[in-house]
Each structure stands twice: as structure tokens, then as C-alpha cells.
């Protein structure tokens, strides 16, 4: 085959490709289908169609043959629509081929690609215009169908077109409306005169409201008609609008009802409301016959100063005028010299759209009874303050009495206690069994009396805030072991077992060496007292954050949830009857709580009736947060030591 024949065959394939793609352009197929058709028809037009691969990129979307891969010998042609690059058309060989004009491609193949791309750009422009027109038509059709614009009318008043809104209002089909008379749907006498020629006015539109009964339901309609006139002022047609205003009518009726309700509420207010304009005329008010005179029929807006039965407002200076001049709310109280009533005035400015004060609203409330109540309260408060001062004096006398009482009681009590203990220890000679038993009871009761005196003194001193603490480093394990040793005999006497669990060998806390041990002595005393024979006491201690956490548990009688709330109150005892089973003065837990909290710690109880009790104490391991006023370099010899 000679070279001319090869060129002719090549040209024939190119023309066939162009005609085939042109047929696609004329079919008005979707753009996506058009691009896929171009890819299929473009391959045979190239010198090596068996390895030609095609790719079209348009608006970010890619359409290509299966083996397409872009390489340096690819042919490209840009797709430019309205001066903007929208994509490209690319052809590549999937296998290497001999070099020709443009890599492995011919110049004619590049021209073919450019021709197809140019035609594709025009098709895309045409499709964009068509889509825009279709969208515009669809949009305007939707607007027309959804709008209240109902009908087009010719010069004789015959309906030529209508939209869906009109059909929905009257519940009819489009065929029933077109070619019907407009007066069948519009109840407007003047419009009938217009079409009959008996009305010669040149109004630009005609408007009317009327009611109609459709499907047994009364509705309200508003109609507009805009005639289209010729140069000679002859009617050539027109556009009609029919709107269903039933909901508006209902809303108007509801608004009227709301207005009447607000007016009734406004008039029912016990306070007087007066609205005044800049000329000091009353615009409106919830009239009160005993305060202000009702307006006469011939004077619906009287002057404020002429309406009140007596001088209700102070006139010099006038507070209402001050509000108009300054624009600030004015508030004051005024005692009427006529009826001696005290009234509270609040006058508010009302601004117009320009920001100027247009009106003033005066809110007037009779506060005579409130003032009388306030005066009575002031008098009562003064009496209470006097009573409080007297109570403080009595409290001070009580504290002094308790302090003197402790000193007065301690002197004979010390002698009684000392000599009874000497007798009990047989230091003054032997005793028979009855004497020993009697003197033992004296020693026990003496110690209880001493404890009661010390506890009362501690409570009194703590309330005055005069307790002084001397903080030193105390080893917790030694402190707790010492508490156990104090009660060892009592524990053994009741055949109880005690379990001790310390999670540390040694840990120090800053604490008062007298008061902090007393806390655990009080708690251990309660545990032994309220645990029956053969019971168990557990004492555990561990470090929690920067605190030492001590838990003292027992298997005693337990405490109900309702009783736990008041355990830390003064003199509180669950069983306070004269025949209670356990003795005590009800101060131990209160004193323990005061001491723990003064050590910046916390104490609480967990218990259930009949299951035993756990008492928790948390004390900071360092007490650097204590102020100088809470500590003392030495301990007073009169320091109360509750037991």
C-alpha cells in the first residue's frame, strides 16, 4: 500500500470520526452520554487505534477508557467555555510507538482534536443556555403557580388563564375556570360596570373584599384587578388577583380579642397607670374614680392637672415635665397632704422613631400600708437588737459563771478526788470489802463529775473562740496505740477483740498534744460503750492524699440514718430518757468535731441500725495553714481538757 493510499485512509477515518461525533452533537443527548460517545468514536481516528486511550476532564469530573495513562507524548486540547477553562481532552498511547510529528502523533491528529474540542465547547455553551432557560421557566412557573395571582382576563372579562392557587381556593378544575366569566369568581359591582361599559373611570386597579361560601365553609376573599389599557384608554385585557384572607380575618378577630383582654387587664390593675403626651394631656389611663376624674365626652384627652380630684402630683418642679426634658426615668415617693396617703411614683419616657420623648407613662402605687409595715418592722428590729444585746450580756455572764463555777468546784473536788483515791489505793490504811466498794464508787463518780465540768468549760470557751492550741509534731501510730492502751482493761473486761491496721510505720502530724488525743479517746469510749460483749473493734489508719485518714469501727448497736444528722450537736443523745441504757452528757462528739475542724480536718460517721458504726477522721499531715493567732507558745494551766 503506497503512502497516498495510507494518507487517504487516515483522512477517511478522521472524517468518519468527525461526522459520527457531529451526529452525537445533533442528538441533544445528556452531556455525560455525549462525552462517553466522543471517547468511543475518537479512538479509530488515530494512527494506532488499537492502543489509543482517551480521557475527558470537565468541571472536575473525569471520563476515560480503561487503560488510559497520561504520558509525555499525550495530545491535549483545552475545553474553554466563555473564556474560562473548564477541562481538557487528552489522547495517549498505552504502548510506545515510532516518533512522528508530535511525539508518536500526527499534526492532523492534533487538528482533529482541536476541531472536536471547539465543537464540544459550543455544545456546552448551548446546553448551559438551555439549562438556564429551563431553570428560569421552571422557576417562574413555580412562582406563578404558588402565587395568589389567579387569572388573566381578556377585554370582555373572560378568563384566559389561571394558576393553581385559584383552583385550590375554589376547589375546581382548570377546565372549569378558563373561558368562564371573571364575575363568576369576583364579587365586585364596579368591575361588572367596567366590562359592561357603563363605568368610565380610569382607575389603575380595582379592589374589593367579600365573603363566599365554598363547600359549605365561609371564607373571606380579597380581589384586585389591574386593567391593561391601550393608548386610546380602551381595555385590552387585565390581570386579576384573588387571595384567601380568611386566616387574616381570623387573626384580626384574635387580635381584637387580645386587645379587649389587655384593655380589661389594664383597667383591672390596682395601680394607677397614666399615659401623658408632651402637652401634658392624658392619652389613656385605667381610671380610678377615687383618685382621678373620668373625662367628659367633649374632652377625651383632658389635661392631667385638671383630672385629679386633689393635688396628687407635686407641682414644683413637675416630675412629668422633667421626664420629657431629660429623657430619664424618674422615681420618687410622695405623701399627699389631703388624704395623707403615701404613693410611689415611677415615670418612664416613651420614645418615637426619631429618638425623641413622645409620651410619659406614670405608674402610681399606693404604698401607705407597706410604709406602715416597714415602720413596724423597724420598730420590731430595734426591739430584737436590744433583746440580742441583752442575750449577749447574759451569755457573757453565763461564761463568767461557768468559769467561776469550775474554779469554785475544782477546789473542793480536787480534795475529794485526792483523798478518795488515797483511800482507794490503801495509802491511808487497809479497807474491808464494803469500804473498798463504796470508795471505788466515790472515785468513779468524782472522775465523771470532773469530766462534766471540763466538758462544759470547753464548750463555753470554744463558743467564745478563746481556746488556744499549741501545735507540735505528733507520731500518729504512738498516739493511737496509747488510746488503745487506755481502754485495754475495759475491752478485756467485756471480752471484746480489737484489730489494729496501720498502713504506715511512722507518720507525723502537726497537732495539739492535749486536744487531738482527746478526740480518739472520746471515739474509743463510745465504741467500747456501745459494743456488746464478745464484739469487735477495728482501728485502721492510712495516708490519703496529704491527709492521715483514721477509721474507728465497731460491731455495736449502730445508728439509724435519721439520728446521724444530729450526733455532732451539743447535748444530743439518741436515747435522752431518764431510763436510758448508756450514760453520757452528749458532748463527746460535739467536742471531737470542734477539735478536728480546728485542726483543719473533717469527721463523719457511717452507720446502720444494728450493724455497727464507722467513725472517720481526716487530719492534714502538715498544719502550715494555721495562723499565728490559732497557736500559742505555751499551754495555759487553766486549759480545758474534756474527757
Amino acid at each position: 500500500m503506497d503512502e497516498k493510499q495510507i494518507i487517504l485512509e487516515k483522512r477517511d477515518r478522521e472524517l468518519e470520526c468527525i461526522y459520527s461525533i457531529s451526529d452525537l452533537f445533533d442528538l441533544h443527548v445528556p452531556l455525560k452520554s455525549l462525552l462517553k460517545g466522543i471517547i468511543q468514536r475518537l479512538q479509530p481516528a488515530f494512527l494506532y487505534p488499537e492502543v489509543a486511550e482517551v480521557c475527558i476532564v470537565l468541571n472536575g469530573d473525569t471520563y476515560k477508557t480503561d487503560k488510559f495513562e497520561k504520558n509525555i507524548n499525550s495530545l491535549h486540547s483545552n475545553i474553554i467555555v466563555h473564556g474560562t477553562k473548564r477541562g481538557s481532552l487528552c489522547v495517549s498511547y498505552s504502548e510506545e510507538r515510532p516518533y512522528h510529528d508530535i511525539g508518536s502523533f500526527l499534526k492532523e491528529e492534533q487538528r482533529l482534536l482541536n476541531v472536536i474540542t471547539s465543537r464540544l465547547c459550543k455544545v456546552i455553551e448551548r446546553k448551559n443556555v438551555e439549562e438556564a432557560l429551563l431553570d428560569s421557566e421552571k422557576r417562574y412557573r413555580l412562582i406563578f403557580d404558588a402565587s395568589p395571582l389567579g387569572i388573566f382576563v381578556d377585554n370582555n372579562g373572560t378568563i384566559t388563564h389561571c394558576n393553581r392557587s385559584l383552583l385550590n381556593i375554589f376547589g375546581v378544575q382548570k377546565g372549569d375556570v378558563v373561558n368562564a366569566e371573571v364575575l363568576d369568581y369576583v364579587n365586585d359591582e364596579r368591575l361588572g360596570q367596567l366590562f359592561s361599559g357603563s363605568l368610565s373611570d380610569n382607575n389603575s386597579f380595582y379592589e374589593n373584599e367579600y365573603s363566599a361560601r365554598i363547600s359549605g365553609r365561609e371564607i373571606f376573599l380579597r380581589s384586585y384587578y389591574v386593567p391593561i389599557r391601550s393608548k386610546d384608554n380602551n381595555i385590552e385585557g387585565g390581570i386579576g388577583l384573588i387571595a384567601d384572607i380568611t386566616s387574616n380575618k381570623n387573626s384580626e378577630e384574635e387580635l381584637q380579642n387580645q386587645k379587649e383582654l389587655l384593655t380589661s387587664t389594664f383597667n383591672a390593675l390596682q395601680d394607677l397607670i397614666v399615659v401623658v403626651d408632651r402637652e401634658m394631656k392624658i392619652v389613656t389611663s385605667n381610671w380610678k374614680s377615687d383618685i382621678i376624674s373620668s373625662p367628659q365626652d367633649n374632652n377625651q384627652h383632658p389635661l392631667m392637672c385638671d383630672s385629679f380630684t386633689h393635688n396628687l402630683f407635686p407641682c414644683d418642679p413637675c416630675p412629668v415635665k422633667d421626664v420629657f426634658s431629660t429623657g430619664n426615668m424618674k422615681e420618687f415617693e410622695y405623701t399627699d397632704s389631703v388624704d395623707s396617703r403615701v404613693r410611689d411614683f415611677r415615670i418612664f419616657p416613651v420614645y418615637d422613631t426619631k429618638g425623641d420623648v413622645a409620651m410619659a407613662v406614670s405608674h402610681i402605687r399606693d404604698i401607705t400600708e407597706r410604709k406602715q409595715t416597714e415602720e413596724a418592722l423597724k420598730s420590731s428590729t430595734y426591739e430584737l437588737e436590744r433583746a440580742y444585746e441583752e442575750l449577749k450580756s447574759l451569755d457573757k455572764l453565763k461564761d463568767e459563771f461557768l468559769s467561776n463555777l469550775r474554779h469554785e468546784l475544782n477546789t473542793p473536788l480536787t480534795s475529794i478526788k485526792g483523798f478518795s483515791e488515797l483511800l482507794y489505793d490503801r495509802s491511808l490504811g487497809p479497807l474491808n470489802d464494803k469500804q473498798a466498794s463504796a470508795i471505788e464508787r466515790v472515785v468513779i463518780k468524782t472522775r465523771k463529775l470532773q469530766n462534766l465540768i471540763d466538758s462544759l468549760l470547753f464548750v463555753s470557751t470554744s463558743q467564745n473562740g478563746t481556746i488556744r492550741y499549741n501545735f507540735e509534731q505528733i507520731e500518729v501510730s504512738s498516739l493511737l496505740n496509747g488510746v488503745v492502751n487506755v481502754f485495754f482493761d475495759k475491752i478485756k473486761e467485756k471480752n471484746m477483740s480489737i484489730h489494729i491496721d496501720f498502713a504506715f510505720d511512722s507518720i507525723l502530724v502537726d497537732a495539739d498534744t492535749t486536744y487531738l488525743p482527746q478526740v480518739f479517746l472520746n471515739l474509743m469510749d463510745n465504741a467500747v460503750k456501745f459494743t456488746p460483749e464478745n464484739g469487735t473493734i477495728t482501728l485502721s489508719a492510712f495516708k490519703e492524699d496529704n491527709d492521715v485518714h483514721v477509721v474507728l469501727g465497731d460491731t455495736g448497736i449502730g445508728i439509724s440514718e435519721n439520728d446521724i444528722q444530729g450526733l455532732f450537736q451539743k447535748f444530743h443523745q439518741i436515747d435522752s430518757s431518764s431510763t436510758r441504757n448508756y450514760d453520757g452528757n452528749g458532748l463527746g462528739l460535739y467536742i471531737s468535731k470542734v477539735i478536728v475542724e480546728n485542726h483543719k480536718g473533717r469527721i463523719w460517721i457511717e452507720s446502720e441500725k444494728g450493724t455497727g458504726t464507722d467513725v472517720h477522721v481526716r487530719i492534714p499531715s502538715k498544719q502550715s495553714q494555721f495562723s499565728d493567732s490559732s497557736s500559742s507558745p505555751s499551754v495555759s494551766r487553766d486549759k480545758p481538757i474534756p474527757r
Side-chain angles (χ1 to χ4, degrees):
M1 185 180 297
D2 57 14
E3 184 177 352
K4 289 184 179 181
Q5 188 175 358
I6 294 174
I7 293 174
L8 287 174
E9 289 183 359
K10 180 70 172 63
R11 181 65 62 187
D12 185 57
R13 291 201 303 272
E14 291 176 357
L15 290 174
E16 184 179 352
C17 174
I18 292 174
Y19 292 143
S20 177
I21 293 176
S22 296
D23 291 341
L24 275 177
F25 291 151
D26 295 335
L27 289 177
H28 299 284
V29 296
L31 186 59
K32 185 175 181 180
S33 301
L34 176 63
L35 298 178
K36 290 182 178 179
I38 292 174
I39 291 174
Q40 294 174 356
R41 288 164 172 75
L42 194 58
Q43 289 174 299
F46 283 83
L47 186 60
Y48 305 106
E50 68 278 2
V51 293
E53 304 293 337
V54 185
C55 175
I56 300 178
V57 178
L58 181 63
N59 296 330
D61 297 327
T62 302
Y63 308 87
K64 62 181 180 178
T65 54
D66 296 337
K67 297 181 180 181
F68 176 82
E69 287 187 9
K70 191 175 181 181
N71 55 56
I72 59 174
N73 293 322
S74 300
L75 281 184
H76 295 272
S77 182
N78 292 330
I79 301 173
I80 299 176
V81 181
H82 297 301
T84 303
K85 181 179 177 182
R86 303 279 292 275
S88 63
L89 175 59
C90 180
V91 180
S92 299
Y93 286 136
S94 59
E95 297 179 4
E96 188 175 353
R97 287 294 182 268
Y99 188 85
H100 292 287
D101 298 331
I102 306 172
S104 55
F105 296 92
L106 300 173
K107 292 181 180 179
E108 291 79 3
E109 293 173 337
Q110 180 67 62
R111 284 197 295 271
L112 172 64
L113 212 60
N114 293 340
V115 169
I116 294 172
T117 304
S118 176
R119 183 69 187 278
L120 177 61
C121 291
K122 293 180 180 178
V123 171
I124 293 173
E125 289 179 358
R126 186 191 70 199
K127 285 186 175 295
N128 288 343
V129 173
E130 291 175 352
E131 290 176 359
L133 288 174
L134 287 174
D135 289 343
S136 178
E137 180 183 357
K138 184 184 296 184
R139 183 167 58 255
Y140 287 117
R141 184 174 294 277
L142 289 173
I143 292 173
F144 175 74
D145 284 340
S147 70
L149 186 65
I151 50 179
F152 288 95
V153 182
D154 64 10
N155 59 341
N156 296 318
T158 301
I159 298 174
T160 60
H161 188 70
C162 69
N163 67 347
R164 189 169 58 238
S165 296
L166 181 71
L167 303 179
N168 292 337
I169 290 174
F170 290 95
V172 294
Q173 300 296 323
K174 190 172 183 179
D176 299 330
V177 178
V178 176
N179 297 324
E181 296 296 326
V182 66
L183 295 178
D184 294 342
Y185 297 94
V186 177
N187 184 12
D188 191 336
E189 182 179 352
R190 295 176 67 248
L191 196 60
Q193 296 173 357
L194 179 69
F195 286 118
S196 65
S198 61
L199 188 66
S200 59
D201 60 14
N202 297 325
N203 288 347
S204 58
F205 71 94
Y206 298 85
E207 177 184 1
N208 189 27
E209 289 185 9
Y210 54 94
S211 62
R213 183 165 292 276
I214 300 174
S215 300
R217 183 176 66 92
E218 185 180 21
I219 64 173
F220 293 90
L221 301 175
R222 177 182 289 128
S223 65
Y224 297 90
Y225 176 73
V226 180
I228 300 174
R229 302 178 186 272
S230 64
K231 293 181 179 180
D232 299 330
N233 203 31
N234 295 322
I235 295 178
E236 296 182 344
I239 300 173
L241 183 152
I242 301 177
D244 186 347
I245 60 170
T246 305
S247 60
N248 293 346
K249 284 289 186 181
N250 294 336
S251 298
E252 289 176 4
E253 184 178 352
E254 181 64 25
L255 286 173
Q256 183 62 30
N257 293 336
Q258 290 291 335
K259 181 179 178 181
E260 293 177 0
L261 177 62
L262 289 174
T263 302
S264 301
T265 304
F266 178 66
N267 292 330
L269 291 174
Q270 295 301 311
D271 298 338
L272 176 62
I273 308 295
V274 182
V275 182
V276 183
D277 62 14
R278 295 190 65 87
E279 296 179 357
M280 300 297 290
K281 291 183 178 181
I282 297 176
V283 177
T284 185
S285 173
N286 55 339
W287 305 96
K288 303 291 182 182
S289 60
D290 59 333
I291 297 177
I292 141 180
S293 302
S294 300
Q296 303 299 320
D297 294 337
N298 58 352
N299 186 16
Q300 291 299 317
H301 299 289
L303 288 170
M304 184 179 65
C305 59
D306 296 336
S307 300
F308 294 98
T309 55
H310 47 79
N311 188 19
L312 184 63
F313 282 91
C315 294
D316 190 18
C318 179
V320 181
K321 291 181 179 179
D322 288 345
V323 171
F324 280 111
S325 60
T326 63
N328 297 325
M329 188 270 283
K330 193 157 184 75
E331 181 177 7
F332 61 94
E333 293 180 4
Y334 178 68
T335 302
D336 196 317
S337 58
V338 176
D339 57 10
S340 301
R341 306 293 293 181
V342 182
R343 295 181 175 89
D344 177 69
F345 287 78
R346 295 184 182 184
I347 307 175
F348 303 90
V350 179
Y351 297 91
D352 58 17
T353 55
K354 297 179 181 179
D356 298 326
V357 181
M359 291 182 292
V361 179
S362 300
H363 173 257
I364 307 168
R365 173 175 292 179
D366 191 326
I367 59 171
T368 305
E369 286 75 14
R370 193 187 77 186
K371 281 293 184 180
Q372 292 172 352
T373 303
E374 289 178 354
E375 291 298 325
L377 284 174
K378 286 181 180 178
S379 177
S380 299
T381 302
Y382 175 72
E383 294 297 329
L384 287 173
E385 288 176 351
R386 288 183 57 190
Y388 176 69
E389 292 298 327
E390 291 178 0
L391 285 174
K392 284 175 63 177
S393 299
L394 291 174
D395 192 55
K396 184 178 179 181
L397 289 174
K398 178 207 68 173
D399 293 336
E400 293 176 355
F401 170 75
L402 288 176
S403 179
N404 294 331
L405 180 64
R406 178 177 182 270
H407 289 292
E408 293 297 329
L409 291 177
N410 270 340
T411 302
L413 187 61
T414 301
S415 300
I416 295 171
K417 181 182 176 184
F419 284 113
S420 61
E421 288 177 350
L422 288 174
L423 290 172
Y424 181 69
D425 293 338
R426 275 69 169 185
S427 300
L428 301 179
L431 301 173
N432 59 36
D433 292 339
K434 288 184 178 182
Q435 292 171 334
S437 176
I439 201 63
E440 181 181 5
R441 295 184 65 184
V442 172
V443 170
I444 293 173
K445 296 300 181 181
T446 304
R447 290 175 179 173
K448 287 185 177 181
L449 181 58
Q450 183 70 57
N451 291 341
L452 177 60
I453 294 173
D454 289 339
S455 296
L456 290 173
L457 183 61
F458 179 89
V459 171
S460 176
T461 308
S462 66
Q463 287 178 335
N464 294 332
T466 56
I467 293 182
R468 311 289 288 181
Y469 292 89
N470 184 25
F471 289 100
E472 301 176 9
Q473 287 193 338
I474 299 177
E475 207 286 310
V476 176
S477 301
S478 299
L479 185 153
L480 297 176
N481 284 325
V483 171
V484 173
N485 290 334
V486 171
F487 288 91
F488 183 78
D489 291 338
K490 288 186 179 181
I491 294 172
K492 185 177 180 181
E493 181 181 338
K494 296 182 71 172
N495 198 27
M496 293 188 297
S497 59
I498 181 166
H499 300 287
I500 300 175
D501 181 17
F502 299 154
F504 44 77
D505 293 332
S506 177
I507 188 169
L508 299 175
V509 295
D510 291 335
D512 188 280
T513 56
T514 301
Y515 287 121
L516 186 60
Q518 190 61 45
V519 172
F520 297 106
L521 288 171
N522 290 342
L523 300 181
M524 183 64 75
D525 182 54
N526 286 340
V528 174
K529 182 191 306 181
F530 294 107
T531 302
E533 294 184 357
N534 302 315
T536 302
I537 294 176
T538 58
L539 179 62
S540 60
F542 52 92
K543 190 167 184 182
E544 186 173 316
D545 298 331
N546 291 324
D547 297 346
V548 175
H549 190 165
V550 180
V551 182
L552 179 60
D554 62 61
T555 58
I557 60 176
I559 308 166
S560 66
E561 184 176 354
N562 293 333
D563 290 329
I564 290 178
Q565 304 299 325
L567 285 178
F568 292 104
Q569 297 177 6
K570 288 183 293 185
F571 304 107
H572 178 83
Q573 289 180 314
I574 297 174
D575 182 7
S576 59
S577 65
S578 60
T579 58
R580 62 180 185 264
N581 297 323
Y582 305 97
D583 59 0
N585 52 38
L587 292 174
L589 287 176
Y590 169 77
I591 292 172
S592 299
K593 182 175 184 292
V594 171
I595 295 173
V596 169
E597 291 180 350
N598 286 339
H599 281 70
K600 304 300 182 184
R602 179 170 168 248
I603 181 171
W604 70 97
I605 292 176
E606 295 175 352
S607 181
E608 290 184 12
K609 190 74 172 178
T611 61
T613 302
D614 290 335
V615 184
H616 297 258
V617 178
R618 284 187 63 169
I619 299 292
S621 58
K622 292 184 178 180
Q623 297 293 336
S624 58
Q625 67 268 38
F626 286 103
S627 62
D628 293 340
S629 61
S630 64
S631 62
S632 176
S634 62
V635 183
S636 171
R637 63 178 298 180
D638 292 331
K639 186 173 185 180
I641 307 173
R643 296 181 178 84

